[in-house]
């Protein structure tokens, strides 16, 4: 079959909108008609050449849609199901899966640019076009693994559901699943884009007492107040660490870094109290490193840890976030600042690069 998709041929070149060939779902795979896809920074790392990927590639890993067909052996997803795409489809049986950390499972031995059983389902004039994160939802249709398509309630709007698939899960999950923030805690969130705002609302959901949002853009700090921040610090013109230590009387219980930058990861670590947890949620370029004071680790029992995809157990957590949204305990509508058709995806990424938006989404017919 044919699918219109956005294709990246080379880093630092615009995505090309064109028609590709998509083969039928193989054993254990499902075909999803995409309804909406989020414009996330992770795809942008590949577009800028900061993350390596075989090319050409169809990006897009934050999406939702309706199951159109299923391959042989598929048991838990059926035609007509509304699904949120899980960009970490897992095998179900390895140590990570059995321990309850499925996002750490690579699913199979094949690279993430291929399906579990090997190869790509996408091509153009007989030439292979690669998958990204086994999702590739900047496309009208996508073939994904069964574990990568999580059924959700039919009353969940699919455009909002798309955002639950990455930014909401990543931000809220980092607070609730990874860090296990306790009621009454003080929480710092550095970087208030799509993921950071979800750390803010995750902290509110967890009952944090003080939620201090840090960003260099005033519009993002305004969003943070809407999402539950109690204090905001514009770090373009002042040092956030000193202010945080003053506000929290000696350092925050938790700090979440949602940008993936060396400087702000170090800031997050400096923001916490002895015994506090600094959690890196933002995704950095592949070759970046951070530097922290070594003695402060044992002497102050400080913790620096990472959170990938909100330590999600997607088949439990994505439907749970949908319930929280539908019972009005989670804001998703307010995250969406702009929507674009697929043809305007390069405009959407320019807006992301400028820091103009909380989140924009690509909406399909
Ligand atoms: Zn993402
Ligand atoms: Zn596994």
């Amino acid at each position: 079959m044919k699918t219109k998709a956005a294709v990246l041929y080379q880093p630092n070149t615009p995505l090309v909108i064109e028609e590709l060939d998509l083969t039928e779902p193989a054993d254990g795979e499902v075909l999803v008609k995409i309804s909406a896809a989020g414009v996330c920074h992770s795809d942008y790392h590949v577009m800028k050449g900061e993350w390596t990927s075989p090319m050409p590639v169809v990006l897009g890993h934050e999406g939702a849609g309706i199951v159109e067909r299923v391959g042989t052996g598929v048991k838990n997803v059926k035609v007509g199901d509304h699904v949120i795409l899980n960009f970490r489809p897992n095998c179900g049986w390895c140590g990570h899966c059995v321990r309850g950390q499925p996002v750490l499972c690579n699913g199979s031995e094949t690279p993430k640019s291929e399906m579990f059983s090997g190869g790509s389902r996408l091509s153009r004039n007989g030439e292979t076009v690669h998958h990204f994160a086994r999702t590739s939802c900047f496309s009208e249709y996508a073939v994904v693994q069964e574990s990568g398509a999580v059924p959700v309630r039919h009353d969940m709007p699919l455009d909002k559901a798309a955002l639950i698939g990455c930014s909401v899960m990543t931000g809220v999950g980092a607070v609730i699943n990874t860090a296990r923030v306790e009621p009454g805690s003080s929480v710092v969130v550095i970087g208030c884009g799509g993921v950071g705002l979800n750390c803010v609302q995750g902290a509110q959901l967890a009952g944090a007492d003080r939620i201090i949002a840090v960003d260099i853009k005033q519009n993002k700090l305004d969003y943070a107040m809407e999402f539950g921040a109690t204090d905001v610090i514009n770090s373009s013109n002042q040092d956030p660490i000193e202010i945080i230590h003053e506000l929290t009387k000696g350092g925050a219980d938790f700090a979440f870094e949602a940008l993936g930058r060396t400087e702000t990861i170090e800031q997050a670590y400096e923001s916490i109290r002895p015994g506090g947890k600094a959690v890196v949620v933002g995704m950095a370029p592949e070759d970046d490193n951070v530097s922290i004071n070594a003695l402060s680790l044992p002497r102050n029992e400080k913790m620096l840890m990472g959170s990938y995809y909100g330590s999600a157990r997607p088949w439990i957590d994505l439907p749970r976030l949908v319930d929280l949204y539908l019972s009005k305990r989670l804001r998703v509508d307010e995250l969406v600042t702009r929507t674009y058709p697929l043809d305007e995806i390069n405009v959407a990424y320019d807006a992301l690069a400028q820091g103009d938006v909380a989140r924009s989404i690509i909406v399909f017919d």
Side-chain angles (χ1 to χ4, degrees):
M1 65 179 291
K2 300 281 183 191
T3 184
K4 190 166 93 169
V7 185
L8 179 68
Y9 282 89
Q10 287 292 326
N12 299 304
T13 61
L15 301 174
V16 181
I17 309 297
E18 57 192 2
E19 208 161 64
L20 302 180
D21 293 304
L22 182 65
T23 59
E24 289 297 311
D27 186 54
E29 299 171 0
V30 304
L31 173 71
V32 180
K33 183 176 195 302
I34 304 297
S35 301
V39 175
C40 176
H41 210 104
S42 292
D43 309 285
Y44 194 58
H45 281 304
V46 182
M47 292 161 67
K48 286 202 299 181
E50 293 171 349
W51 290 1
T52 46
S53 164
M55 309 228 173
V57 60
V58 175
L59 299 171
H61 64 282
E62 181 180 70
I66 299 173
V67 174
E68 186 115 334
R69 280 197 284 285
V70 302
T72 52
V74 170
K75 294 190 189 76
N76 299 294
V77 179
K78 58 185 191 306
V79 172
D81 276 354
H82 289 199
V83 293
I84 296 181
L85 302 181
N86 156 28
F87 63 85
R88 293 293 294 165
N90 63 304
C91 78
W93 298 103
C94 72
H96 298 304
C97 287
V98 172
R99 270 193 297 271
Q101 297 177 295
V103 299
L104 301 181
C105 169
N106 282 322
S108 87
E109 301 286 302
T110 59
K112 284 172 281 177
S113 56
E114 298 181 11
M115 303 305 287
F116 283 4
S117 59
S120 175
R121 305 294 168 262
L122 292 159
S123 62
R124 183 163 191 271
N125 301 328
E127 299 284 322
T128 297
V129 176
H130 298 274
H131 296 266
F132 176 63
R134 297 186 176 119
T135 310
S136 294
C137 59
F138 290 156
S139 173
E140 292 172 321
Y141 291 89
V143 170
V144 301
Q145 299 296 146
E146 178 179 16
S147 59
V150 182
V152 295
R153 291 163 57 172
H154 282 225
D155 55 343
M156 178 67 204
L158 286 166
D159 52 345
K160 309 301 171 0
L163 296 195
I164 287 179
C166 176
S167 63
V168 178
M169 183 68 251
T170 300
V172 174
V175 174
I176 305 228
N177 292 344
T178 314
R180 300 182 183 274
V181 166
E182 293 168 13
S185 306
S186 54
V187 171
V188 168
V189 177
I190 303 178
C192 298
V195 170
L197 290 173
N198 280 297
C199 292
V200 170
Q201 69 171 336
Q204 190 184 50
L205 207 54
D209 177 48
R210 196 130 204 188
I211 305 170
I212 305 164
V214 182
D215 205 288
I216 56 169
K217 288 231 171 193
Q218 192 55 44
N219 64 334
K220 296 205 171 168
L221 294 172
D222 295 341
Y223 291 135
M225 290 300 283
E226 273 178 54
F227 275 72
T230 58
D231 304 84
V232 294
I233 302 172
N234 188 324
S235 55
S236 67
N237 51 20
Q238 51 196 336
D239 175 18
I241 297 165
E242 213 172 293
I243 304 170
I244 290 163
H245 278 258
E246 225 165 82
L247 288 172
T248 56
K249 300 185 175 60
D253 298 317
F254 298 92
F256 296 88
E257 197 276 354
L259 295 165
R261 296 207 184 120
T262 299
E263 186 198 350
T264 43
I265 292 169
E266 291 166 5
Q267 273 177 357
Y269 185 76
E270 294 302 323
S271 302
I272 54 171
R273 63 166 169 80
K277 275 185 193 171
V279 184
V280 178
V281 187
M283 305 291 272
E286 278 167 358
D287 298 327
D288 286 4
N289 291 293
V290 294
S291 164
I292 54 167
N293 179 269
L295 188 55
S296 69
L297 283 162
R299 189 174 270 171
N300 293 324
E301 292 200 344
K302 287 173 80 162
M303 281 176 271
L304 177 63
M305 64 190 303
S307 174
Y308 188 25
Y309 201 0
S311 304
R313 296 125 331 147
W315 283 67
I316 300 172
D317 289 332
L318 297 175
R320 194 178 273 178
L321 292 170
V322 164
D323 286 341
L324 285 168
Y325 166 77
L326 289 173
S327 62
K328 303 206 182 313
R329 298 186 62 203
L330 203 60
R331 301 170 195 85
V332 181
D333 300 354
E334 295 84 346
L335 281 172
V336 183
T337 13
R338 290 180 203 162
T339 61
Y340 298 90
L342 183 65
D343 293 313
E344 290 175 26
I345 191 166
N346 290 303
V347 181
Y349 268 99
D350 287 342
L352 174 128
Q354 301 297 320
D356 290 347
V357 289
R359 201 57 146 195
S360 53
I361 47 179
I362 305 296
V363 180
F364 295 81
D365 300 332

